[in-house]
């Protein structure tokens, strides 16, 4: 988009909106309200940011009907029913295409002759694919990524550069894994003893089902036996810890830096917000939301409930605790006054 | 094991147990009670899971003497003195052997001619070993792993793929390091100044003693000077932060996502549970347990004590705090009643 | 330094200090007080460690004027005005030079013929540089590191081994990035729907300005559109999460394992201590300090203020909360006594 300018009038036509202000205002890029320069298109997608529209340098801003302040000289609003959607349509139209992904096996990649790579798959520079591994149709293995022995990767997967997937793991179709992540490292299992900890072999695998996306710097341990299992459509953000034998239910949403301890099972659609921690061997009911930094020491059974704090309790209970702490100061004053009144009363009676 | 079936009678003979139920029930794999399919062997290793035995689909289950419910039609229990140990013996017998590790130097690896690699060591595909590095007997350097200048790795170490160990670090024997981990990155040290932070050179090393295991995505910073030191037998889980000049005592057990700040020293056998954080320049007494998500702002002196909360306090003290908060609501009622009684009393006297 | 010994007298001359004790005490290495052996030089840089000077095995210790205890037989103090600075000068003089960095393009590196690499830059073994990428003068790309399409890296940058920087990111001059880190992974953005989460394309970039240093295992996500932006001189420790569209102000200081959620903006000089978490779409005023493990749910406006706890509140307010909790037990006793007194009073009146 950088070399081509579009006028407010042209954009309004594309998104089916109405121009208010300078129809000839022209832009050659997109940005958020706050970071836009004078040649940028922006949008008001959330009432929370209304106060950013006028100070924004964006020449053209997509706004909802409810936004009525007139544009300053030389700028234009495009009034439309859904500014976020309109903006995304423009973004799609003007952003450069994604960079090319590897197709075929790069000459520098080390692919075992006992591995099976689909003809339409791509193996990046310096990637390593071990014996017995299977890479499905249209899947991409990024540069420097390691695929261990007998690991099976389905179709249309995108494994970014410098990922490690160890032996015998199983990925479904359309799985995305971001850089730096490790799948299939040993679970943290030891037998305590008088002369230190004895390692318990971790001979299971990791199974990742269709449409799962896993962020950067994530660690997913292989099972002690059986499998650590991330089910269909779950989305996992960066720097998350998933211990051995954990089960992540369908469509779970696990935000950055969450830690889930061994053998815990999350039901369908559980949301765990940033830095939450969940102890081992627990069951989290489907539809539970665990708030940021919460610490979960026991089963959570309340589908649809929000859990807060460490140890985590239902949201209302947490609010009560906070209120109790705040009310102590006033309570102390009341008690002090009671003491005085009682003392005076006693005195008056003596 | 997948192609071969074993009957309950055969397994009982191997583990020295007694069959209750269908002697001919046959299995071709192992799984936890909860995830087992009808062709699986499972086990009851912990009374906590007793209720999972009957609903489990596992055809054959290893159970302790104390478990007396009879098996349903077609299934079998094998009663034995230690079901966990028996199960592990079976697992060992039937799991596929671990995948082969590299032996010799892979042709794609870049090994300096000034490095010393033992003849029995293995250097994986696309690994890099710099000048002056030493790789001991039977040690394995995984694919894509980087070993910096003059770093010395002992015998029988297993460094998984895509690990980075920077210059001049020293590893003992039988050290295991999982994928994605960085050893010897610069400590986070700066001198504050009016024009920003000035970097303090971090010229020390990391020393890792025998039998240490370090998980995936861990960061262990090199010392400002001298060494960051992880002592014999310590076990460190995934995504742990170990800052410069930290000392981790023998047999410490550091669970996922723990952070330990600069120059802090953990005594022998300290346990730090998931997501705990420890401030800098502290001493943690041997045998202390720091509970999950605890935040430690000062020295901990109570060997054998459990510390909870942020700021962390001994377990009993934390329980008292929780109890205090819970008792405020009732206390408020009591005070309100006292106020009323006192008011009535005054009124009756006037 | 290991092969050469220096006497206390020689060191005193170099640092302009005065010897107390054995002038001929000789050292061949440097260490902290606590870890020094008898052939080491150490220093007392902080009064907090005064008690470590006498038990230390260091033959020679740099001490301030205020330290007056005499050295034991055979050891020496060197009294000087700034023992830390003096020690660093000696460290500089005696530590081995940093290991050589790659110069030129290593034959095993895979550099696109459509990339532009400055003649003075170095590309390490098995590194990958994609088409359209630009590597500036004297910059180093470590072994195994991946530089994506059209990413531009300025002059004098040091990108350590096994880093991933994805497409179209922009780095200024003198940027340091440690091993294992990922720059430019997709932001965690989805549209919720009845059939799971639909991925929102993340078509922005990451911009990192001059003099920024980023630790190991860090994740910095690319913007949804526009840019995630780390401004001049900011320092970021290990295992930090920086989500899409975050802005980190000049000279911010972000300690290990901090998480910053999407679109949040940190003003100039904000300090976030270890394991703190900041929710999305917030503004943190310049000069704010967020203490370790704090959880920030809303804008912080108090420049110069310290915020503590989860949810984070100003330091004094947190102290009040802690005090309130502690005072409940005593308050309960007081109320119990009031009840008794009142009961007795009523009885005496009946």
């Amino acid at each position: 988009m950088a070399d081509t300018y579009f006028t407010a009038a042209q954009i309004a036509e594309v998104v089916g909106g109405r121009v208010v202000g300078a129809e000839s205002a022209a832009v050659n890029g997109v940005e958020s309200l706050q970071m836009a320069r004078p040649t940028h298109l922006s949008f008001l997608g959330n009432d929370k940011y209304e106060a950013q529209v006028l100070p924004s340098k964006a020449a053209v801003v997509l706004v909802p009907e409810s936004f009525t302040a007139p544009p300053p000289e030389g700028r234009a609003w495009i009034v439309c029913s859904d500014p976020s959607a309109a903006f995304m349509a423009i973004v799609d139209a003007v952003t450069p295409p994604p960079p090319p992904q590897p197709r075929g096996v790069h000459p520098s990649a080390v692919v075992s002759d006992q591995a099976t790579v689909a003809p339409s798959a791509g193996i990046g520079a310096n990637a390593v694919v071990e014996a017995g591994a299977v890479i499905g149709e249209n899947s991409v293995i990024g540069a420097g990524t390691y695929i261990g022995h007998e690991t099976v990767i389905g179709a249309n997967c995108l494994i970014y550069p410098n990922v490690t997937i160890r032996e015998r793991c199983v990925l479904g179709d359309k799985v995305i894994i971001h850089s730096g992540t490790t799948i299939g490292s040993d679970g943290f299992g030891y037998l305590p003893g008088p002369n230190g900890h004895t390692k318990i072999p971790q001979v299971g695998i990791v199974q990742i089902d269709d449409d799962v996306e896993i962020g950067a710097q994530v660690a997913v341990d292989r099972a002690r036996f059986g499998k650590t299992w991330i089910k269909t459509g779950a989305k996992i953000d960066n720097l998350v810890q998933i211990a051995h034998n954990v089960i992540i239910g369908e469509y779970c949403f696990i935000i950055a830096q969450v830690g889930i301890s061994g053998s815990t099972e999350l039901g369908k659609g559980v949301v765990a917000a940033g830095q939450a921690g969940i102890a081992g061997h627990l069951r989290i009911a489907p539809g539970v939301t665990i708030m940021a930094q919460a610490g979960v020491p026991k089963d959570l059974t309340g589908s649809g409930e929000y859990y807060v704090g460490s140890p985590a309790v239902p949201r209302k209970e947490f609010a009560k605790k906070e209120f109790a702490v705040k009310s102590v100061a006033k309570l102390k004053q009341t008690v002090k006054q009671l003491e005085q009144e009682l003392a005076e009363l006693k005195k008056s009676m003596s």
Side-chain angles (χ1 to χ4, degrees), chain A:
Chain A
M1 191 181 194
D3 297 332
T4 317
Y5 280 79
F6 297 86
T7 64
Q10 286 173 316
I11 294 167
E13 203 178 313
V14 170
V15 305
R18 172 171 50 90
V19 179
V20 179
E23 295 218 338
S24 60
V27 294
N28 72 342
V30 297
E31 254 297 1
S32 61
L33 285 167
Q34 200 183 326
M35 298 185 70
R37 295 191 302 270
T39 60
H40 282 159
L41 170 72
S42 193
F43 76 112
L44 175 59
N46 186 323
D47 291 350
K48 187 173 171 185
Y49 300 119
E50 238 175 49
Q52 293 181 7
V53 176
L54 285 172
S56 172
K57 294 196 168 61
V60 184
V61 181
L62 298 154
V63 299
E65 295 282 351
S66 58
F67 186 80
T68 55
E73 178 76 22
R75 294 177 68 195
W77 307 158
I78 297 174
V79 182
C80 53
S81 56
D82 185 343
S84 294
F87 185 77
M88 288 314 295
I90 296 289
V91 167
D92 281 354
V94 301
T95 45
Q101 294 293 356
R103 288 294 155 194
V105 176
H106 193 279
S108 65
V110 176
V111 178
S112 165
D113 54 13
Q114 294 167 63
T116 306
V117 177
S120 59
I123 311 291
N126 289 330
V128 176
V129 180
E130 299 278 19
V134 178
I135 313 295
E137 293 290 349
N138 297 306
S139 283
V140 169
I141 306 302
T145 283
Y146 175 85
I147 306 295
H149 296 78
E150 297 169 36
T151 280
V152 176
I153 293 181
N156 300 299
C157 291
L158 176 48
I159 315 298
Y160 278 100
N162 288 332
V163 168
T164 303
I165 307 181
R166 273 182 44 196
E167 70 275 10
R168 296 176 183 139
C169 295
V170 178
L171 278 68
D173 298 337
K174 290 173 282 170
V175 172
I176 300 174
I177 301 182
H178 289 277
S179 295
T181 282
T182 298
I183 307 292
S185 38
D186 287 359
F188 194 67
Y190 303 88
L191 288 172
N195 298 310
H197 319 285
T198 304
K199 186 172 173 68
I200 298 173
Q202 306 286 313
V203 300
I205 67 160
V206 177
Q207 177 180 320
I208 300 176
D209 293 343
D210 297 349
D211 291 309
V212 166
E213 182 163 0
I214 297 180
Q217 317 301 118
V218 170
V220 183
D221 279 351
R222 64 195 314 108
R224 178 183 171 185
F225 48 80
K227 62 190 176 194
T228 303
W229 190 7
I230 304 179
K231 294 189 182 176
T232 302
K235 307 296 180 189
I236 295 171
D237 200 356
N238 301 330
L239 288 156
V240 167
Q241 153 73 355
I242 298 182
H244 51 179
N245 292 89
V246 161
I247 302 176
I248 306 284
E250 295 91 344
Y251 310 115
C252 281
F253 206 68
I254 312 295
I255 298 172
Q257 297 178 316
V258 163
I260 306 175
S261 306
S263 299
T264 282
E265 178 173 357
L266 274 58
K268 186 177 173 178
V270 166
V271 175
Q275 298 182 333
I278 310 178
H281 297 271
L282 303 183
R283 297 225 174 187
I284 311 300
V288 157
T289 297
I290 299 167
M291 302 296 277
Q293 295 190 326
V296 179
K298 55 182 184 183
D299 290 355
L300 298 183
T301 55
S303 284
E305 182 62 84
Y306 292 75
Y307 291 88
V308 186
S310 180
V313 292
R315 186 158 51 170
K316 273 189 187 168
E317 204 175 311
F318 186 80
K320 273 187 202 162
K321 282 170 78 171
E322 289 279 298
F323 178 72
V325 172
K326 278 188 187 150
S327 62
V328 169
K330 185 152 176 283
L331 192 59
K332 281 161 79 174
Q333 287 183 317
T334 308
V335 170
K336 198 169 186 183
Q337 197 178 325
L338 274 174
E339 286 184 298
Q340 287 172 347
E341 287 181 31
L342 191 59
E344 280 164 28
L345 193 61
K346 280 185 175 173
K347 201 175 176 186
S348 72
M349 289 170 62
S350 62

